[in-house]
Every structure is written in C-alpha cells, then in structure tokens.
Amino acid sequence: MTSIEPEPELLANFKTWFSSRGGYIHKDVQFKQGEAPAADSLPTSNIQLNFQIVSSGLKVLARDTVPADTCIASCPFSLAITPEVSKKALLTLLKSPDGLDKWTERQLICTYLSLHWVLGDFDLR
C-alpha cells in the first residue's frame, strides 16, 4: 500500500479523456512521475559509457491491496494507434500520399504520436 498523492493535472486530464472513450483504470491505481535511478544502483562494467540518466515516464503503483485477477486497466481497440490509423491521419493532415507507402509501421506511429505532441489534440479517426 502506498500513500495517496495528487496526480499531475495532465494525467488527470488523460484519465478523464481515456474513460470518456471507453478506457478503464482501476480506482486504486496511482501514477507517479518516474525518477532517475541512484548512481550507485546502476550496473557497473569495464566499459565507460557516456550518457545522462534522466527521469521519465510514470510509475504505476497500487494505493491499496488489489486482489489477484483484478482488471487494472483496459483499453478498447478503437483507441489503439495502429499503422492504419496513423497513415489515415497523416494522409488527412499532410494531404499528400507521396512516400507514405514506403514508411515502416514504426515511422507511421511515431510520426502520428509526435504530431499529437507538437500540434496538440487532433482527432482524425
């Protein structure tokens, strides 16, 4: 069991949006901002790597004991971001099919997600 802390407003907005479209997140699930691991908890090796450890993502914790076999989250397939959904949206937005047939699934989905981040909320389904 963990203490109840307020979730960031952006996450509360997401949960409202998600549930209004048929998604479900259990009431005892709490999301917390990820934290960078402590330097002394990282594996060591003889190879020197130059990278910066940053906090990112979210931790998912239970506020209370959740019985076994409990549904924690579910997402309707209509909210899934598939290559087909991505391509349709990109064609609508870019108004040009040039080259999209040669893009990989990863390129289509990452571009779709990036445009949501850059342009804000647009729904082209």
Side-chain angles (χ1 to χ4, degrees):
M1 184 165 24
T2 186
S3 64
I4 297 175
E5 296 178 21
E7 293 176 324
E9 182 181 352
L10 187 62
L11 187 58
N13 293 343
F14 166 75
K15 288 169 94 173
T16 299
W17 174 89
F18 186 66
S19 64
S20 73
R21 286 161 176 79
Y24 169 76
I25 299 174
H26 192 279
K27 66 178 179 58
D28 288 327
V29 168
Q30 177 182 8
F31 294 84
K32 289 181 73 174
Q33 185 66 42
E35 299 166 1
D40 60 356
S41 71
L42 298 173
T44 58
S45 71
N46 294 331
I47 300 171
Q48 181 65 33
L49 299 175
N50 293 319
F51 64 92
Q52 182 179 5
I53 299 169
V54 297
S55 61
S56 63
L58 297 168
K59 294 179 183 181
V60 181
L61 305 168
R63 291 184 178 134
D64 202 349
T65 302
V66 179
D69 297 325
T70 299
C71 177
I72 300 299
S74 66
C75 179
F77 192 73
S78 62
L79 294 180
I81 300 169
T82 65
E84 293 75 22
V85 166
S86 301
K87 188 173 183 178
K88 178 182 172 194
L90 292 171
L91 286 171
T92 302
L93 186 65
L94 301 175
K95 304 198 184 331
S96 173
D98 295 343
L100 282 183
D101 287 333
K102 296 177 185 170
W103 286 24
T104 66
E105 291 181 354
R106 182 173 289 182
Q107 288 172 315
L108 290 166
I109 292 170
C110 288
T111 302
Y112 178 90
L113 292 172
S114 297
L115 287 173
H116 264 286
W117 185 44
V118 171
L119 300 175
D121 189 27
F122 66 95
D123 192 359
L124 299 172
R125 292 177 188 243

